């Protein structure tokens, strides 16, 4: 008999890429994967998304860059990363030893920055997909500006799609009035899949100093506090587009991951929970496996978008 952990019922496909299960470490909370090699069995993980990679290395914002809030955290890291070249030369050869899907998360301050980063990453061996971060709230230009403007987002998607050697996921911002509208424009421009949500812009104030608790002022809220917003947005986007969705925002248990899948996500990403429970991805995989087994679900894909209303 197959070990339940090795069974194929958790397999999912995203843009033609097969994942052994739908559990993926979220960008910015999972380093370059290698940081988790001693903490979890990376070979059991569906995949992970790297910290946002830019054409050149970035130092990020000055500290304090992270503060804890009720049910979550605010961050304003500002896209610190080793740069696309160092990633393919120093990190990828080590990551390739593991049997897990690597998603390269890409960031730029302009369309040309994104294109330059993707053309460098195209040379790397072992990347399954790209995830375009057009939704980071912690930088003053680039990403977020593009992600809030459907025409700019569509234009960038089209340009990247043209040069990309890999399927393209575009990551959506929740800090918009109508996420379904932006999702449609990006899919029409050629995105193969969408991921959502990035962090929700927030602020926290130290009442003794009357200063923001983050040096940057505002930050991106993540963790369980944002989960209902994220589930609602996945539901709205699933109704608007046909491409696969990768849902995230506050997932800390299998139950949470299931909410996203029932709302319409083919896979899920887990971010903030890794900080307080580095083994959370393994627990979610086990929980999904039990859920399927207990309900005799042969393929987890059968629950994707299965939400039904009481009337
Ligand atoms: C410290 C930190 C850094 C992040 N960096 C990135 C990043 O580089 N690129 C990106 O697309 N998303 C980034 N994110 C957003 C997460 O990938 C995820 O979309 C968000 O945190 C919601 O999921 P969660 O509540 O499970 O953390 C970051 C989040 C955190 C907390």
């Amino acid at each position: 008999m197959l070990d339940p952990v090795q069974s194929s019922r958790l397999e999912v496909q995203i843009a033609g890429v097969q994942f052994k299960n739908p559990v993926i470490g979220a960008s910015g909370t999972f380093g370059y994967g290698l940081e988790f090699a001693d903490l979890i069995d990376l070979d059991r993980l569906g995949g992970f998304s790297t910290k946002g990679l830019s054409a050149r290395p970035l130092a990020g914002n000055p500290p304090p860059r992270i503060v804890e809030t009720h049910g979550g955290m605010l961050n304003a890291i500002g896209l610190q990363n080793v740069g696309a070249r160092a990633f393919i030369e120093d990190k990828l050869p080590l990551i390739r030893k593991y049997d897990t899907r690597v998603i390269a998360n890409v960031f730029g301050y302009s369309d040309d920055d994104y294109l330059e980063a993707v053309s460098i990453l195209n040379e790397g061996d072992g990347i399954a997909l790209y995830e375009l971060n057009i939704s980071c709230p912690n930088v003053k230009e680039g990403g977020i500006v593009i992600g809030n403007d459907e025409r700019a987002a569509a234009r960038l998607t089209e340009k990247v799609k043209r040069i990309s050697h890999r399927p393209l996921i575009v990551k959506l911002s929740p800090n918009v009035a109508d996420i379904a509208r932006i999702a449609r424009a990006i899919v029409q421009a050629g995105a193969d899949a969408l991921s959502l949500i990035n962090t929700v812009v927030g602020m926290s104030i130290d009442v003794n100093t009357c200063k923001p608790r983050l040096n940057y002022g505002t930050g991106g809220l993540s963790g369980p506090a944002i989960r209902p917003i994220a589930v609602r947005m996945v539901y709205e986007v699933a109704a608007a587009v046909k491409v696969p969705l990768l849902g995230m925002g506050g997932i800390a248990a299998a139950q949470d991951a299931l909410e996203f899948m029932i709302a319409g996500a083919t896979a899920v990403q887990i971010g903030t929970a890794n900080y307080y429970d580095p083994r959370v991805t393994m627990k979610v995989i086990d929980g999904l496996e039990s859920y399927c087994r207990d309900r005799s679900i042969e393929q987890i894909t059968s629950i994707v978008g299965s939400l039904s209303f009481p009337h």
Side-chain angles (χ1 to χ4, degrees), residues 26-29 50-52 66 73 75 77 79 105 131 133 135 171 197-199 222-224 226 248-251 269-273 275:
S27 175
T29 66
T50 66
K51 175 67 190 165
I66 289 189
M73 63 183 261
N75 93 81
I77 303 285
L79 298 154
N105 184 281
E131 180 179 52
N133 176 9
S135 44
K171 186 160 176 180
I197 60 174
N198 209 315
T199 54
S222 61
I226 67 169
M248 79 199 91
I251 297 175
Q269 296 192 19
I270 303 181
T272 301
Y275 288 122

Side-chain angles (χ1 to χ4, degrees), residues 25-33 35 48-54 58-61 65 75-84 87 95 102-107 121 131 133 136 138-139 171 198 275:
S27 175
T29 66
F30 219 77
Y32 303 102
E35 292 83 346
F48 70 89
S49 180
T50 66
K51 175 67 190 165
L53 296 161
S54 43
L58 290 173
N61 294 324
R65 312 195 290 184
N75 93 81
I77 303 285
L79 298 154
Q80 176 179 353
N81 78 101
V82 297
F87 174 73
I95 300 169
V102 181
I103 300 174
N105 184 281
V106 183
F107 177 78
L121 292 168
E131 180 179 52
N133 176 9
C136 180
N138 306 319
V139 286
K171 186 160 176 180
N198 209 315
Y275 288 122

